[in-house]
Amino acid sequence: MIWYPYQQMKTMKQPYKIIDAEGVWLQTPERKMIDSVSSWWSVIHGYKHPVLNEAVKSQVDNFSHVMLGGLTHEPVQKLSDKLQDFLPGDLNYSFFSDSGSVAVEVALKMALQYYVNRGEMERIKVLSLTHAYHGDTFKTMEVGDDEDYHFILEAYGEKKDVIHVPTEIPALEEAFEKYHRELNCFIVEPLLQGAGGMRMYDISFLARARQLCDQYGVLLIFDEVATGFGRTGNRFVADLVQPDILVLGKALTGGYIGHAVTVANQKVYEGFYGDDPEKALMHGPTFMGNALACSVALKSIELFEQEDYMSKIQRIEEITRREMEGFADSRIREVRIMGGCVCVEVKDSGILKGFQQFAYERGVFSRPFLNCMYAMVPYIISEEELVKVLDTMKAWFL
Ligand SMILES: *Cc1c(COP(=O)(O)O)cnc(C)c1O
């Protein structure tokens, strides 16, 4: 018996069964539908991409997996070289893991140990955003601010070591002034807070965060598990403001195989580097650097560059703005668009009840959450397909 995610199993609606998938299309036994969710924002090249399929197939004939403890291999070496070239500045040191949550755990562990290695034992607190989402494991839930996890607060009482701030500069300045001696890091989903409700904010907030982190010696972590690889209309938000630690996941492998990476800059890496074994980073997921995942991730990044995905994302944004222009309804609070993400926030989540089935019957897979109806489509989507997705969203309000 399968225990499905985020569901009350007793009242859950039967999930749609997928028997095939190609391009932006998912095939059920009854119909084809466009995946407007990109399988939780990961399948940026669409399904059954010939280049990515070939990358997996050719690697599987060599070996699928060997551990990175005491062993290494060409796919992981090539991917880390590629990331070093592809990522901005001195974000050069790639620690691989099997999921975004684990990669965030690694980032938080790195930030804490960085200061412990320097003997700064009072820096045990983390600053994060209100409405933050950083994953489902325990520490990521703690730095997150998702109402679904407030049972953790009920069980454990107040959060002692995490401080939340809204995306407003005065509140940020105040938090730094008050807590800077105890902070090891400030972790953010830059520009776009995904699972917290597709909240978008301005780059000036992150530029100020960078200044404050430098002023007070606090590490800045960008969780770009969702925003990385173009989703905000920037390759990475880290291209605009550089963090000390960058976390990538979801689209890293084009959605083929679960994998993620925590990338440290020179300063963080040097905080661990030396002769003392106690200063080493003590982490090592069994499947880190999986050869199939690394092979497909490398090809995914090559495709992203060679086929100029940034212009594809720009086109998606242009079409979305054109199609959503002037669209309004008394039940809608706001329509927000950023890069390859569009969110229609409604005033009451009840308004979206039944939308998933409505969309399914029109050939679109959608998965609204909280007050958000949204689309984060695969970047290879055609104009006609994208218009179909947006028309379906608008049709719900007619
Ligand atoms: C999805 C997500 C994660 C968690 O990634 P998993 O692979 O599901 O563990 C972490 N941070 C952000 C911003 C995410 O969107």
Side-chain angles (χ1 to χ4, degrees):
M1 170 100 186
I2 301 165
W3 197 334
Y4 285 95
Y6 306 122
Q7 296 286 344
Q8 171 49 262
M9 294 298 291
K10 185 172 178 188
T11 54
M12 182 181 84
K13 176 175 149 300
Q14 272 306 307
Y16 305 113
K17 184 167 178 177
I18 300 307
I19 55 175
D20 196 18
E22 184 163 4
V24 298
W25 295 92
L26 299 171
Q27 176 78 53
T28 72
E30 292 85 38
R31 66 169 72 246
K32 268 169 56 161
M33 56 179 170
I34 299 174
D35 182 1
S36 74
V37 183
S38 301
S39 274
W40 269 330
W41 325 339
S42 66
V43 182
I44 56 174
H45 308 284
Y47 297 94
K48 212 183 279 187
H49 193 290
V51 173
L52 300 185
N53 278 20
E54 185 48 40
V56 177
K57 284 179 189 168
S58 64
Q59 181 57 38
V60 86
D61 285 336
N62 283 343
F63 56 91
S64 299
H65 180 68
V66 297
M67 64 196 242
L68 277 198
L71 304 175
T72 193
H73 53 83
E74 193 174 86
V76 73
Q77 288 172 338
K78 280 189 165 168
L79 178 59
S80 91
D81 287 349
K82 185 76 204 176
L83 287 169
Q84 190 162 341
D85 280 353
F86 193 59
L87 297 175
D90 64 348
L91 289 163
N92 290 341
Y93 301 93
S94 289
F95 189 97
F96 294 99
S97 51
D98 33 31
S99 75
S101 301
V102 173
V104 172
E105 294 276 349
V106 170
L108 294 167
K109 201 192 235 189
M110 260 182 198
L112 177 63
Q113 195 182 346
Y114 175 83
Y115 287 103
V116 171
N117 281 356
R118 290 159 57 105
E120 296 187 38
M121 309 308 270
E122 67 288 355
R123 289 192 185 264
I124 57 166
K125 286 189 168 51
V126 172
L127 186 64
S128 79
L129 297 178
T130 49
H131 306 292
Y133 176 83
H134 294 292
D136 290 353
T137 54
F138 260 78
K139 189 70 186 177
T140 64
M141 282 191 293
E142 196 189 342
V143 300
D145 177 35
D146 184 328
E147 282 182 17
D148 292 340
Y149 299 113
H150 284 181
F151 73 94
I152 297 287
L153 279 183
E154 281 171 43
Y156 287 93
E158 282 299 288
K159 287 186 193 182
K160 288 194 300 290
D161 301 322
V162 178
I163 295 123
H164 294 289
V165 286
T167 51
E168 291 155 16
I169 290 174
L172 184 69
E173 288 171 341
E174 200 179 302
F176 267 93
E177 234 162 76
K178 190 159 169 208
Y179 295 108
H180 65 88
R181 278 178 208 86
E182 298 162 278
L183 292 178
N184 61 65
C185 70
F186 177 34
I187 182 168
V188 295
E189 294 160 88
L191 292 189
L192 171 64
Q193 294 185 277
M198 300 298 173
R199 292 159 189 271
M200 299 169 187
Y201 62 92
D202 196 76
I203 191 70
S204 60
F205 178 83
L206 295 172
R208 184 70 185 122
R210 180 68 272 178
Q211 286 174 343
L212 289 164
C213 283
D214 289 340
Q215 182 182 338
Y216 292 115
V218 172
L219 296 176
L220 181 59
I221 302 176
F222 278 6
D223 176 354
E224 294 217 50
V225 170
T227 57
F229 299 99
R231 191 52 74 180
T232 66
N234 308 285
R235 277 182 347 139
F236 301 95
V237 183
D239 287 331
L240 307 179
V241 170
Q242 210 182 295
D244 299 294
I245 301 174
L246 172 65
V247 186
L248 301 175
K250 292 198 163 99
L252 176 66
T253 64
Y256 266 60
I257 300 171
H259 224 64
V261 63
T262 309
V263 189
N265 69 4
Q266 188 71 27
K267 169 178 145 173
V268 171
Y269 185 73
E270 278 173 6
F272 291 77
Y273 193 78
D275 295 316
D276 184 352
E278 288 198 356
K279 291 191 174 171
L281 179 64
M282 298 309 280
H283 208 103
T286 304
F287 292 107
M288 73 183 292
N290 173 270
L292 298 177
C294 290
S295 301
V296 76
L298 180 66
K299 286 292 171 201
S300 169
I301 297 172
E302 286 174 3
L303 278 177
F304 194 96
E305 286 182 303
Q306 286 159 10
E307 299 189 7
D308 190 12
Y309 269 53
M310 290 315 299
S311 74
K312 292 186 202 287
I313 296 157
Q314 205 181 345
R315 199 184 111 267
I316 289 171
E317 177 164 357
E318 281 163 13
I319 295 168
T320 306
R321 288 195 187 279
R322 184 190 77 207
E323 293 296 312
M324 300 308 275
E325 203 188 310
F327 174 63
D329 185 278
S330 62
R331 290 161 291 179
I332 293 174
R333 180 171 293 142
E334 189 180 39
V335 178
R336 293 190 284 274
I337 298 166
M338 182 187 275
C341 175
V342 52
C343 172
V344 177
E345 184 184 331
V346 296
K347 290 176 180 162
D348 184 307
S349 60
I351 293 162
L352 300 178
K353 198 163 179 287
F355 174 66
Q356 185 173 63
Q357 185 62 22
F358 174 89
Y360 174 72
E361 283 158 15
R362 284 155 185 78
V364 174
F365 176 66
S366 175
R367 194 171 190 278
F369 68 99
L370 301 173
N371 290 3
C372 301
M373 169 194 281
Y374 77 97
M376 295 214 323
V377 294
Y379 300 147
I380 49 107
I381 197 165
S382 72
E383 175 160 355
E384 194 188 342
E385 290 160 342
L386 178 55
V387 169
K388 181 180 166 75
V389 168
L390 299 170
D391 279 349
T392 304
M393 293 169 73
K394 290 190 284 187
W396 177 248
F397 296 93
L398 291 180

